[in-house]
Amino acid sequence: MERMIEGMDRISTPRNLLLGLIATVVTFSLMIALGIVLVYDVYGVSFIPDTSFGYTIADIQTAFDNLGTEGVRVWLMVRMVDMIFPIAYTFAMVCGIMLMLRHSFPERKSLRTLTLLPIGGAIVDYIENILIASQALSYPNLSGPVIVLASIVTIMKWLLLYAGFAVLIILSLVILFKRKKS
């Protein structure tokens, strides 16, 4: 794990942070645009499972029923962009956390493990995507246990990402406090 953290430290540059932020904005915008144009304008607005903080089989059933079989297939194709999005936001968050740690606490190398928060978020995001995709592929025959597991994974994703954003906010405040103090 130390080698992985050292590697993340090496790639954490302002330029890479900017590239990560651009990739995040572009992939997010692409997901929104494609979702609106190819899915929601054609098949109707529906519930998006991975943007909520948990869901039930009834939520998924209703969302997929509203889209219909063809709409679910198109939605699933559009969601393929969501396989790029976790890489983009994780790269940006890791670079941001690492750069702020270097500035705030250069002597505290153990704090670099905080970069594992967004990495954990991305890992569970991929698990969530796979679980939801499995249900879209099996629609209309949904699995209650798979959807319960997907919902739990979604909650874990949000908790890890919220924790990562909290670290970024706290580090920003530390940097501001240190600047004001000096």
Side-chain angles (χ1 to χ4, degrees):
M1 182 164 55
E2 186 60 34
R3 283 182 67 194
M4 181 176 76
I5 291 173
E6 288 292 331
M8 289 185 297
D9 191 23
R10 277 191 302 279
I11 64 166
S12 294
T13 64
R15 181 180 125 307
N16 283 344
L17 172 60
L18 181 62
L19 288 173
L21 290 172
I22 291 169
T24 300
V25 169
V26 167
T27 54
F28 182 75
S29 299
L30 192 58
M31 284 189 320
I32 296 298
L34 289 174
I36 289 170
V37 171
L38 295 178
V39 180
Y40 305 120
D41 281 352
V42 176
Y43 301 99
V45 175
S46 190
F47 169 77
I48 304 169
D50 57 352
T51 61
S52 67
F53 198 76
Y55 37 86
T56 65
I57 189 167
D59 295 330
I60 302 298
Q61 185 74 52
T62 301
F64 287 178
D65 286 348
N66 288 343
L67 291 173
T69 304
E70 185 180 335
V72 169
R73 300 290 178 239
V74 174
W75 175 81
L76 188 58
M77 287 189 302
V78 168
R79 299 299 298 163
M80 293 304 292
V81 177
D82 197 18
M83 298 307 276
I84 300 167
F85 186 58
I87 293 170
Y89 73 69
T90 299
F91 187 71
M93 288 181 77
V94 165
C95 287
I97 290 171
M98 201 64 85
L99 288 168
M100 289 180 172
L101 283 171
R102 274 192 224 139
H103 189 272
S104 304
F105 303 103
E107 70 287 349
R108 307 256 333 255
K109 297 224 184 248
S110 63
L111 289 177
R112 296 181 311 167
T113 58
L114 291 170
T115 57
L116 297 177
L117 290 169
I119 291 171
I123 290 168
V124 294
D125 195 344
Y126 280 115
I127 294 168
E128 168 200 57
N129 290 343
I130 291 166
L131 291 170
I132 293 171
S134 76
Q135 294 310 287
L137 290 169
S138 67
Y139 176 76
N141 303 313
L142 302 178
S143 167
V146 171
I147 291 173
V148 167
L149 179 60
S151 180
I152 291 167
V153 170
T154 299
I155 292 167
M156 289 171 48
K157 171 190 78 174
W158 287 117
L159 291 174
L160 287 165
L161 292 179
Y162 289 154
F165 281 116
V167 167
L168 287 167
I169 291 167
I170 291 167
L171 289 172
S172 296
L173 293 173
V174 167
I175 290 169
L176 288 173
F177 179 75
K178 284 185 172 188
R179 283 188 183 161
K180 190 165 188 115
K181 192 176 173 183
S182 58

